[in-house]
Amino acid sequence: MDIKNTVTIMDITFLNVTKKDFLYDELFPRLNRQQKSFVVTANPEIVMKAREDHGYKQAVQSADYIVPDGAGILLAAKYKKEPLQERIPGYELMLDLLKHANDEGLRCYFLGAKDNVINKTIVEVEQQYPNITIAGSHHGFFDIHDSSIAENIKAQNPDIVFVALGLPRQEEWIAKHSNKFPKGLFMGVGGSFDVIAGEVQRAPEKWIKLNLEWLYRLLKQPLRFKRILKVFEFMLRIIVKK
């Protein structure tokens, strides 16, 4: 990672790049070379968790790339007078990778979520991206220290592993087990399987463009309120630190 093109927020170093350049200059070439990659799409919740949990912080910092997913990250960078070029949402990045995998006939593995969600996700992916080879799938209800899961995935020889175990388990699982693999792009995708499966509706485009996706999700899922409080705490700490 070129340090000239990064912005550090609370010890988490973000790549300062557009999504298009990130895909075409970094991820696609690495996939073509079968070079292993660990990608974190970090929002304020991830940064705050890393601040509070040293083990998790080490897992996040072990990533090859950390990109900004969340309006709060962009606001914090702007407040520091080190603006990031754009937000790179994990869900959109996943769709771009699926399209690339479809174009190149790559093998994708899907790890996480409930059985019914992951089954619906596979059906949708097969319909929308027919040239992808589904290397396999597994629900998210297992001990992340169980190495047999990683060994089983490795045996399927995936090019991309989408990990939907949520914060903090997905980054911890990748950091712990990706060294067992000779290749593969590993990325935590949070609740993206739920969106693809149709279980959760993503915010309308106008909300996303206004960086209000967090508010839309809060209105639809009021139980997320505690998570939103972490975003406000994040911004308060940025302001106070300055």
Side-chain angles (χ1 to χ4, degrees), residues 59-84:
V60 171
Q61 290 179 328
S62 73
D64 297 291
Y65 302 103
I66 305 172
V67 293
D69 180 359
I73 301 297
L74 266 65
L75 285 172
K78 188 175 181 179
Y79 193 79
K80 289 183 59 174
K81 301 190 185 305
E82 298 179 70
L84 290 159

Side-chain angles (χ1 to χ4, degrees), residues 8-164:
T8 299
I9 299 172
M10 290 188 186
D11 296 331
I12 302 299
T13 301
F14 290 86
L15 185 64
N16 189 7
V17 68
T18 65
K19 179 161 68 74
K20 181 179 179 181
D21 287 346
F22 182 45
L23 287 164
Y24 284 91
D25 295 345
E26 301 291 339
L27 298 189
F28 293 167
R30 288 172 74 101
L31 280 167
N32 292 340
R33 295 192 298 266
Q34 297 192 341
Q35 187 175 356
K36 192 159 51 177
S37 305
F38 174 12
V39 178
V40 174
T41 61
N43 57 20
E45 292 173 73
I46 285 178
V47 174
M48 289 299 292
K49 180 64 177 177
R51 180 182 176 277
E52 297 162 358
D53 184 332
H54 182 67
Y56 181 65
K57 182 178 184 178
Q58 287 183 313
V60 171
Q61 290 179 328
S62 73
D64 297 291
Y65 302 103
I66 305 172
V67 293
D69 180 359
I73 301 297
L74 266 65
L75 285 172
K78 188 175 181 179
Y79 193 79
K80 289 183 59 174
K81 301 190 185 305
E82 298 179 70
L84 290 159
Q85 293 188 54
E86 69 178 34
R87 179 185 170 216
I88 303 180
Y91 177 72
E92 294 179 10
L93 194 60
M94 179 180 178
L95 296 186
D96 289 325
L97 288 169
L98 286 172
K99 183 180 183 303
H100 181 73
N102 189 66
D103 292 341
E104 300 295 324
L106 301 182
R107 298 175 61 82
C108 296
Y109 194 100
F110 299 81
L111 177 65
K114 299 176 183 177
D115 268 327
N116 67 311
V117 171
I118 200 165
N119 291 338
K120 288 181 180 179
T121 299
I122 297 301
V123 170
E124 288 297 320
V125 170
E126 288 176 332
Q127 290 179 349
Q128 297 179 38
Y129 308 96
N131 293 325
I132 286 178
T133 297
I134 304 297
S137 64
H138 194 286
H139 63 73
F141 297 90
F142 61 90
D143 184 345
I144 65 168
H145 299 291
D146 182 357
S147 61
S148 67
I149 303 292
E151 293 295 341
N152 289 338
I153 297 172
K154 176 185 173 182
Q156 307 309 314
N157 194 33
D159 297 295
I160 303 175
V161 181
F162 296 111
V163 185

